[in-house]
Amino acid sequence: VGPVNIIVGSHVWIEDPGAAWIDGEVVKINGEEVHAHTTNGKTVVANIANVFPKDTEAPPGGVDDMTKLSYLHEPGVLNNLAMRYELNEIYTYTGNILIAVNPFQRLPHLYDTHMMEQYKGAGFGELSPHVFAIAEVAYRAMINEGKSNSILVSGESGAGKTETTKMLMRYLAYLGGRSGVEGRTVEQQVLESNPVLEAFGNAKTLRNNNSSRFGKFVELQFDNCGRISGAAVRTYLLERSRVCQISDPERNYHCFYLLCAAPPEEREKFKLGDPKLFHYLNQSKCYKLDGVDDTEEYLATRRAMDIVGISEEEQDAIFRVVAAILHLGNVNFAKGKEIDSSVLKDEKSRYHLDVCAELLRCDAKKMEDALIKRVMVTPEEVITRTLDPDSATGSRDALAKTIYSRLFDWLVDKINNSIGQDPNSKTIIGVLDIYGFESFKINSFEQFCINFTNEKLQQHFNQHVFKMEQEDYTKEEINWSYIEFVDNKDVLELIEKKPGGVIALLDEACMFPKSTHETFAQKLYQTFKNYKRFTKPKLSRTSFAISHYAGEVTYQADLFLDKNKDYVVAEHQDLLIASSDTFVAGLFPRLPEETSSKTKFSSIGSRFKLQLQSLMETLSSTEPHYIRCVKPNNVLKPAIFENVNVIQQLRCGGVLEAIRISCAGYPTKRTFYEFLNRFGVLAPEVLEGNYDDKVACKMLLDKIGLKGYELGKTKVFLRAGQMAELDARRAEVLGNAARRIQRQSRTFIACKEFRALRGAAIVLQSNCRGKLACNLYEEMRRQAAAVKIQKIFRRHIARESYLRIRHSTITVQTALRGMVARNEFRFRKQMKAATIIQARLRSHLTHSYYKQLQKAALSTQCGWRSRVARKELRTLKMAARDTGALREAKDKLEKRVEELTWRLQLEKRQRTELEEAKTQEYAKQQEALETMRLQVEEANAAVIREREAARKAIEEAPPVIKETPVLVEDTEKINSLTSEVEALKASLQAERQAAENLRKAFSEAEARNSELATELENATRKADQLHESVQRLEEKLSNSESEIQVLRQQALAISPTSRTMATRSKTMLLPRTPENGNYLNGGTKTTPDMTLAVREPESEEKPQKHLNEKQQENQDLLVKCISQNLGYNGDKPVAACVIYKCLLHWRSFEVERTSVFDRIIQTIATAIEVPDNNEVLAYWLSNSATLLLLLQRTLKATGAASLTPQRRRTTSASLFGRMSQGLRGSPQSAGLSFLNRQGLTKLDDLRQVEAKYPALLFKQQLTAFLEKIYGMIRDNLKKEISPLLGLCIQAPRTSRASLVKGRAQANAVAQQALIAHWQSIRKSLNSYLNLMKANNAPPFLVRKVFTQIFSFINVQLFNSLLLRRECCSFSNGEYVKAGLAELEQWCIEATDEYAGSAWDELRHIRQAVGFLVIHQKPKKTLDEITRELCPVLSIQQLYRISTMYWDDKYGTHSVSSDVIANMRVMMTEDSNNAVSSSFLLDDDSSIPFTVEDISKSMQQVDVNDIEPPQLIRENSGFGFLLTRKEGSTS
């Protein structure tokens, strides 16, 4: 039935012989004829039944699912595929069927890891169509339902089936990958087997140079966890007849030609030559393929065999069998002497037979007998009969096909064994790659078998499509029971029915020796004369035609019988089993039923049928998914879309058949929202009412009067033609609305013109009135100017008189006030001088008293310290009496050091006193000089002021005043002042002379001081040298003591009085504490009342054991303390500072073995075990960063130059060490205070130590934990905002009310809903920022966290934008832009200290959104877009956005077609230059900083002012934590 509602002005599709379908506009309808103007400028007349409506509102880039098309018909499908192919969108859905159009170019961005990550876990239809989506659906169905799935990839040769299969296996391996043998994955092993299978199973056909002549079903086996556990390659329906018969210009299997092109030594070994010399190859004139080097392919096949595990011996055996088949084909037969007998035709045949027997390792005579003789076993006797030449030739071909088939099966088994299979696997995903429907000018037995296979698969496909339709109807709960399903069961019965089918009749004909192709064809004509699907061509006696689902195909039956015969000859079996080659014998295992010497008939058609039945059983046990591959052109070049070619493939692929099934039911399905959005104009009152969407749709359809539709749960289902009827009514309503708008527009234009005329008249009148007013204003302005001039002149005269009187009065007042001020100045000057004299006197008295007290205090201190030093010296002398001459030398050196020390102290004190006295005297002279200079300057100024005042008074005095007294008085004043100035000058000269004397004295003092400083430096250098000498002597003394101790122990062991001596008092090894003046790990301390004795092992072990136990207790207490949250002291983390100070004090960095580092690391690891506790993570982020900073600036590798001399265990026991400790304890000491201030204190504050291996390992572990904590915080924030980002990329749908009214208000509500999601993101960002601020995390790390988070937001939003077409709209760009403004505001509030360059990380999504919301895109050039609008985006990304863009708000278009074409050219160049063409962004999850970065970015931490925690504050072992604080207090 032809389409309805085709009216004049309708846009339609009309059949065209060149372009298949062409669009046009109806200009005239005459009965059943339609006249239309096409887009190519022609006027076409067509029957209305062959005219289909065109959807003028279809998006310019097509739809990704063709079930969404308003008109689901053949031209609509073809046009949609063409539009998408033009935009490089090669994948399109038809329901759950994927149509893949071969692009004939590399598109690596569609198949990289980024794309796999996007489709992993995504629902079907959520992202753009892709082969990964089909694999994802199959995998998820297998995991969730526990049922095996299969993916059927079909299409004609060159459509890209093999590449699609590779992509499927790549994605399935990505989802459930497992490492295979030798590090290769199962998917890699399966793909590596492809070259071998292609060499032995592919051949050149009319349409493809590398056509698979067998079906391949790859089973990927999965375990219970969804991981690939094994794989198997199942092959079906190998085209065996091609081994013996080929037609021009096709070729035989590739392996034959590869072997003929092998290296010379290989060919010589197999006695091969040019392919033209062999009968199985020279039936066609095609021997080489364009662009293919058979020699290189042969070597590549050899390498592929190595990879799949075929040994060199097996490879030689394989190619030996292939060569034997070629030689076997050259064995020809002639008639023998007897009737129906045959013999070898000539010596050439004899040669090839011998070579064949040699290669197969068989006896040549037995092979000859097996080819020309048959043994028949009867109950009475065994009869041997000969075959005629034709039968012998058939026997030869049967042997060749059998050998090749068994060889191919062996290869498949070998490959499966190499890959490995899982016998325990319960679920599989199978990928079927099989040849598609074929229809040539000459179609033989091969095409018959192939089309029979496709009929079976089409039946399976139709059932699946109908099942999907049923599931959709059932899901929506609509009535579908009356829908008829058109099946192809009748065609299958015609072919495979038993008995009576084509295959059965062919087998029957093959079993009769006298049957010919004519008799076979006549049998077919008689049997199927009443079948609709079977027809007989008029001009042929041996051809027949079958009407398949894809169209009618005419088959030539001439070679059907020869190609179908496949005898299993017992003689052949016995011959090859007896081969001396184990490989050849293994190809033909002896079967129990074949032990008799009978010839069993077997046909290729029957085998084909059985294999096909096995394949269908396998597919029926799985859940199928379909991919239809399409070859867009026959020249195999990109950007060419041949409509006629594609439409034929759509028919052959069953896509149009699926559409017919859909059209039988409800081809048009629209959601309630979409339906109301499109057809709401037909019933505005329904939209204005507050109805449910389903109720509104029903009311609208009832008002229109449409019948036969169905309303589901979420969709409206329309019958074929109903969409066109609704569109016609909608067009009528919109046309009426357009005419009304035109009327209103014309009215508006007329009103506008009237208002313009009226406005012009008003303007003219205004100008005239304005001119008159200007004249009047000019007259009034002149009068006002004259009055103003008079007023200003009179005011000037009055002001001049007033100013003269005022100036005279001020002059008199100035003279009187100056005299009073001078008297007051003299009085104040005298008072100030008296005050200064009194202050100087009191200061002198007080300073003298202070110096006396200071001298007395210093004398007392020196006497007391001398007494203490002498006492200690006496003690040391008593302890060292027994050391002999070394002790005496040491005492002398110590005395020398004391003398030098006291000399240094005395010289330092004298120098200090001299400097203070000199400074005070110089300051006094400077003050006096400054005072006198000020007095002189004041006097000069006073004289000058008085002279000026007198001069002014004389000049301005009135004439009536007498001048004589004034002049006399002023002269007296001037004389007195002059004399005073002279006196001051003399005083100043005296003061200058005194200052010069003082300067000379100061220079002499400075020279003396420099000499004293030089002497002091020399004395200091001598003291250091003496100190080093003392240390060396102490070391020698220690060694001598050790030797003496050993000798005494030996003497005690020999002496009978050893027991008595052992009871003597022993030296006690005490830990050095602040009480005894030494460190904990110091040397020995001997009691004054005990003599030096021998230390035995017991007296040595007990103190050491006590020391270790004490250290262990301290470590336990430290670990217990840091396991708590110690908080912060200001902005410094307490835990990090306490750990650092303890490790530094314990000298843990310098020991070779310690457990404290491991315990600290274990404590940190235990604290962060809960990955979601961000409070704990932020706390340890701050502590670990601070501790790492301290370690970075303290530790250095062993062997480097040290900042301080290495500490020795005996240093503190030396005299210099005790003196240093004494000086530390009394910083008021004037003699050696410079040592304390400049040397030792600084070294305690920041000391670099030579770190041993445990310390360096601890630093590395701490670095790893810092990176781990950083990554956990960052990933927690990503996890928190990821669901929100999914809601932010697409704006909420506008409510139904906005379709009629209130659009602005509805958009505001929708925008508020979207902003709510962005505000949630902003809230999460603030939460983490405040958390890290509260824990004093380094701003450097905070910036890195938020920089990576914003990069993650950029990647997620940008990738979602490129993968989802509904997001690339104008309104959606506005929504996302508003959301990005929220993030920008957050960055401003967070400041650069914490946000850093986070806002710049959003550059991709910002520029993409900016491109979406700009107006007049068609006017933008490519240069403007790439340089100004979107400089960051690549050409691939711009192309993707430009082609996916659609304006749902104003209906504007994307960029111009010229820009799109230029983009495609640039993309092609990038592809040729091997430039990465991925348009997706990758999320960077690496750690973006190093230890050096932390060290440079963080400020120095002062650990001295840290208050110790309460837990360790009272413990004496941690007293060193309080030392600095106490020292500062004292």
Side-chain angles (χ1 to χ4, degrees), residues 1429-1444:
L1429 298 177
C1430 308
V1432 175
L1433 304 187
S1434 66
I1435 290 296
Q1436 290 78 11
Q1437 293 164 347
L1438 287 172
Y1439 180 80
R1440 182 88 176 174
I1441 296 174
S1442 302
T1443 55
M1444 294 177 66

Side-chain angles (χ1 to χ4, degrees), residues 769-783:
R769 291 171 183 151
K771 184 63 177 175
L772 295 176
C774 287
N775 294 336
L776 179 62
Y777 168 75
E778 183 65 23
E779 181 64 26
M780 295 173 67
R781 189 174 68 82
R782 288 178 177 274
Q783 293 179 1

Side-chain angles (χ1 to χ4, degrees), residues 425-440:
S425 175
K426 299 295 180 62
T427 55
I428 67 167
I429 294 181
V431 181
L432 177 65
D433 176 7
I434 200 167
Y435 29 56
F437 191 90
E438 292 184 354
S439 177
F440 305 137

Side-chain angles (χ1 to χ4, degrees), residues 433-451:
D433 176 7
I434 200 167
Y435 29 56
F437 191 90
E438 292 184 354
S439 177
F440 305 137
K441 292 182 179 180
I442 300 176
N443 300 286
S444 188
F445 180 69
E446 296 85 0
Q447 282 70 43
F448 175 78
C449 294
I450 290 171
N451 293 340

Side-chain angles (χ1 to χ4, degrees), residues 208 219 222 263 425 530 673 915 953 1091 1102 1172 1244 1277 1351:
N208 187 10
E219 291 182 3
F222 294 82
S425 175
N530 296 324
Y673 176 85
E915 287 179 355
T1091 60
K1102 287 182 180 179
D1172 296 332
D1244 285 343
L1277 182 52
S1351 176

